[in-house]
Amino acid sequence: MVVYHYTSKRKMRRKWVKNWLARRDLFGHMPLLKQLNENEPNDLKNYLRMSKTDFDRLLDLLRPRITKQDTVMRQAIPAEERLIATGKSYEDLKFSTGIAAQTLGSIIPETCKAIYEILQDTCMKVPQTSKDWKEVANGFKDRWQMINCGGCIDGKHIRICQPARSGALYYNYKNFYSIVLMAIVNHNYELIYVDVGKQGRISDGGVIQATTFYRRLQNETLNLPKPMDCEEDLNVVFIGDAAFSIEEHVLKPFPQKSLNYERRIYNYRLSMARNVVENAFGLIASRFRILQTSINVNPNDTNYIVLAICTLHNFLIKHNSSYVKPTSENSETQDTEDIDVSGQLFPLQNCKK
């Protein structure tokens, strides 16, 4: 019901409340979620994109930050509904949640920002000491047979709708508008560093050079282990693809046109380790389906949505053993929840002298 009242000048003024929105306890998604929780836990997990146990753990962490006070005008939207109201467009969510699109436009970025700020210290932290870097390097050695690797670097274009008055700033070489998620991933598919928000027209090599991580790498303030403390007395390195420039602490594959036997072996081993970043991107795109559409909010809010996704990805790895499932063979990035973590090496059948 839309309510109108008249002023002394006989002008109609529209009141903000609609009957069906005011009765979201009846028309919203919370009654459905209650039924799913009681009768169909697998469907509830699919809706929440995580188990109920993980959702409750996350809600307990966020509740103090996202809980609002009731007013004399209306009751505040509960923390649980704020956390569930994520994904799709605001207009679509309006009908499934029973919350006005304008309110969702405030709730979702605010909740995503809270998720990132509360989880980043425990779920997404750059190694701080030489010992921390050695643990990452040991993980790559044990799992992927790559020594002295501090992480794998890559960029992912997050598809967005063209921001107003932005021209071609966000238009990338893949012929769509995007912002860049630049990530460094450890041996366990965890994102240990992310930079979000650079315009899609900038190359991966240009994006990494504009990050605080790269500046610290150049200034030698990352506290990387000394070569004498590493395998074969070599530097700790970060692995990238052909878009990055080779440096003292950055390795990339040899060009395909200049391969001999040794270089093909090198490229193979490098790609085995670098698969972790490709598979990490595959995991977040599979679990958080908003990344498979064009995000239609302003770029600043998009940044917090992506940052929240990155921290939730690490949160699920730490707390949910079924989020990344082992399989019997190594696989490329795929749109499923089952990503290989076996680290199995296969014979180089095509590598001949």
Side-chain angles (χ1 to χ4, degrees), residues 134-149 185-190 268-269 271-276 279 283 317-318 320-321 323-327 330 339-346:
K134 281 185 178 181
E135 290 180 2
V136 176
N138 289 336
F140 273 102
K141 178 184 177 182
D142 295 340
R143 198 165 193 175
W144 303 106
Q145 292 74 53
M146 173 62 67
I147 65 171
N148 300 334
C149 182
V185 180
N186 70 9
H187 60 284
N188 196 38
Y189 302 98
E190 295 174 280
Y268 176 80
R269 298 299 182 186
S271 65
M272 282 291 296
R274 208 183 69 81
N275 233 19
V276 296
N279 284 346
L283 274 169
I317 287 178
K318 290 179 181 295
N320 188 336
S321 60
Y323 179 57
V324 180
K325 299 177 182 179
T327 60
N330 192 27
I339 302 295
D340 169 69
V341 294
S342 65
Q344 179 180 352
L345 288 176
F346 296 97

Side-chain angles (χ1 to χ4, degrees), residues 68 80 88 92 112 132 137 149 154 192 211 213 256 260:
K68 305 297 181 180
E80 184 178 17
K88 299 187 290 187
D92 288 340
C112 288
D132 294 338
C149 182
D154 203 4
I192 58 177
T211 63
F213 171 84
Q256 291 294 316
N260 56 22

Side-chain angles (χ1 to χ4, degrees), residues 6-12:
Y6 293 89
T7 64
S8 58
K9 295 183 180 181
R10 305 292 296 176
K11 290 183 179 180
M12 285 194 306

Side-chain angles (χ1 to χ4, degrees), residues 14-27:
R14 186 173 181 173
K15 199 171 181 179
W16 58 269
V17 66
K18 294 181 179 180
N19 184 55
W20 73 273
L21 290 176
R23 301 180 64 189
R24 67 174 182 274
D25 57 333
L26 178 62
F27 298 112

Side-chain angles (χ1 to χ4, degrees), residues 164-335:
R165 297 180 294 278
S166 64
L169 280 176
Y170 293 89
Y171 197 71
N172 63 38
Y173 71 97
K174 298 181 178 182
N175 300 321
F176 61 84
Y177 295 92
S178 67
I179 59 171
V180 180
L181 163 61
M182 181 60 58
I184 300 174
V185 180
N186 70 9
H187 60 284
N188 196 38
Y189 302 98
E190 295 174 280
L191 284 65
I192 58 177
Y193 175 84
V194 297
D195 180 273
V196 182
K198 301 295 190 297
Q199 296 98 333
R201 67 182 180 86
I202 305 174
S203 67
D204 285 354
V207 171
I208 192 66
Q209 291 179 12
T211 63
T212 56
F213 171 84
Y214 186 82
R215 289 194 290 271
R216 290 184 63 190
L217 182 64
Q218 296 300 304
N219 296 334
E220 299 184 353
T221 57
L222 283 175
N223 297 320
L224 297 176
K226 302 296 182 183
M228 65 185 68
D229 298 324
C230 299
E231 296 274 344
E232 305 292 336
D233 294 332
L234 298 173
N235 289 332
V236 167
V237 295
F238 298 90
I239 300 174
D241 60 18
F244 300 93
S245 58
I246 190 167
E247 300 182 16
E248 181 181 6
H249 293 285
V250 179
L251 293 183
K252 69 175 185 177
F254 283 104
Q256 291 294 316
K257 63 181 180 181
S258 61
L259 294 182
N260 56 22
Y261 176 74
E262 290 78 12
R263 290 183 177 186
R264 294 179 77 176
I265 296 291
Y266 165 86
N267 280 5
Y268 176 80
R269 298 299 182 186
L270 212 68
S271 65
M272 282 291 296
R274 208 183 69 81
N275 233 19
V276 296
V277 66
E278 300 289 353
N279 284 346
F281 287 158
L283 274 169
I284 63 175
S286 175
R287 181 57 63 101
F288 304 100
R289 297 301 177 89
I290 191 172
L291 298 182
Q292 299 180 10
T293 65
S294 295
I295 302 177
N296 190 19
V297 300
N298 70 68
N300 188 57
D301 289 346
T302 302
N303 293 346
Y304 280 115
I305 290 172
V306 177
L307 287 170
I309 286 172
C310 292
T311 48
L312 285 174
H313 165 79
N314 287 358
F315 174 84
L316 291 173
I317 287 178
K318 290 179 181 295
H319 296 287
N320 188 336
S321 60
S322 65
Y323 179 57
V324 180
K325 299 177 182 179
T327 60
S328 58
E329 61 180 4
N330 192 27
S331 60
E332 297 294 333
T333 304
Q334 51 188 309
D335 187 19

